[in-house]
Amino acid sequence: MKRLSQRLVLTALIAATVVLPAHAASVVKTYSYFNIGGRTLEELEGELNKRGPQMKNTGRRHPGATQMEFTSRVGYAEQGGKCTVAKATVTVKAKVILPRWRAPRRADQDTRLIWNTLSADIKRHEESHVGIAKNHARELEDALRGLGRFPTCQAAQSRVKQVTDRILAKHDREQTRFDRIEGINFESRILRLLKYRMERM
């Protein structure tokens, strides 16, 4: 359920002296699915372990994943012998990968209930990763737009890189922290969700 990868693309654009209107950080989100079979919970678990997206850093497979790419477009303006950040926009491209169960007719009602609960939690988890990324994209935009004046645009670019590296490192730590907390609370969370669904049936 962890992010698969993250890549930052900085595009430095030397802008005119007019400060362009601000734009909010945006997320471009797409979904892809991998099919699993199985009739029992044990078979479903085996299918997830066999077909789930593989983490590059650990080689392990997970029941879901989110691939993210941060793209920053930064424009600079020179005026009065100084350089400022005239424009900064950050976009997150997020590809959410989720399981899709080809439920056989022989699967019993309890298995279907547990799967529906689990798959909904997997989707919520991955959507939360996207939310964390969007929050940090907004933070990065605000930080870049708030930078002051620099003696040269080269100095401004250097500062932009420092700020970007710092906030993206913070983003990585928050994503890791979220996964750790979710892992610790997984069993109690699923049991609570199952109980809630059963009470509503």
Side-chain angles (χ1 to χ4, degrees):
M1 298 183 188
K2 298 179 181 177
R3 294 173 307 109
L4 283 181
S5 64
Q6 171 183 301
R7 180 167 58 87
L8 172 70
V9 180
L10 280 175
T11 305
L13 305 173
I14 302 301
T17 57
V18 179
V19 177
L20 300 176
H23 299 279
S26 62
V27 173
V28 179
K29 184 168 54 176
T30 59
Y31 295 87
S32 68
Y33 300 87
F34 61 95
N35 294 327
I36 63 171
R39 183 168 61 89
T40 66
L41 292 178
E42 291 76 12
E43 291 172 350
L44 286 171
E45 182 179 5
E47 285 281 283
L48 288 173
N49 291 333
K50 179 182 178 181
R51 304 181 186 278
Q54 190 173 25
M55 303 296 107
K56 291 182 179 180
N57 55 341
T58 64
R60 295 177 55 194
R61 293 188 178 273
H62 290 259
T66 302
Q67 298 173 327
M68 282 180 283
E69 176 183 313
F70 283 75
T71 302
S72 297
R73 296 178 62 86
V74 182
Y76 302 89
E78 291 183 285
Q79 187 175 20
K82 298 291 184 180
C83 184
T84 60
V85 173
K87 179 182 180 182
T89 60
V90 180
T91 301
V92 178
K93 290 184 179 179
K95 179 182 178 182
V96 180
I97 306 171
L98 299 170
R100 177 181 285 153
W101 181 31
R102 299 294 187 183
R105 296 177 181 176
R106 293 178 297 169
D108 60 42
Q109 184 176 357
D110 289 345
T111 301
R112 292 177 185 272
L113 173 63
I114 293 173
W115 170 254
N116 289 338
T117 303
L118 177 61
S119 61
D121 190 65
I122 293 171
K123 186 175 188 297
R124 176 206 57 80
H125 177 94
E126 300 306 331
E127 296 283 2
S128 297
H129 276 304
V130 177
I132 292 171
K134 185 173 183 178
N135 289 340
H136 284 80
R138 287 174 176 167
E139 181 181 350
L140 178 56
E141 269 192 356
D142 291 342
L144 295 179
R145 292 172 182 167
L147 294 177
R149 305 174 73 190
F150 297 86
T152 65
C153 283
Q154 184 177 1
Q157 289 176 348
S158 178
R159 182 57 178 156
V160 164
K161 185 179 185 306
Q162 291 175 1
V163 171
T164 298
D165 290 346
R166 175 178 59 81
I167 292 178
L168 290 184
K170 178 184 174 186
H171 164 263
D172 287 348
R173 291 193 299 271
E174 181 60 28
Q175 296 283 16
T176 301
R177 176 178 174 272
F178 174 71
D179 272 330
R180 185 173 62 251
I181 293 173
E182 288 274 292
I184 292 171
N185 298 329
F186 173 76
E187 185 175 346
S188 61
R189 184 173 67 253
I190 294 299
L191 289 175
R192 185 174 65 253
L193 291 171
L194 279 172
K195 181 180 178 182
Y196 173 76
R197 286 185 176 229
M198 291 175 68
E199 288 174 348
R200 296 193 63 184
M201 290 176 61

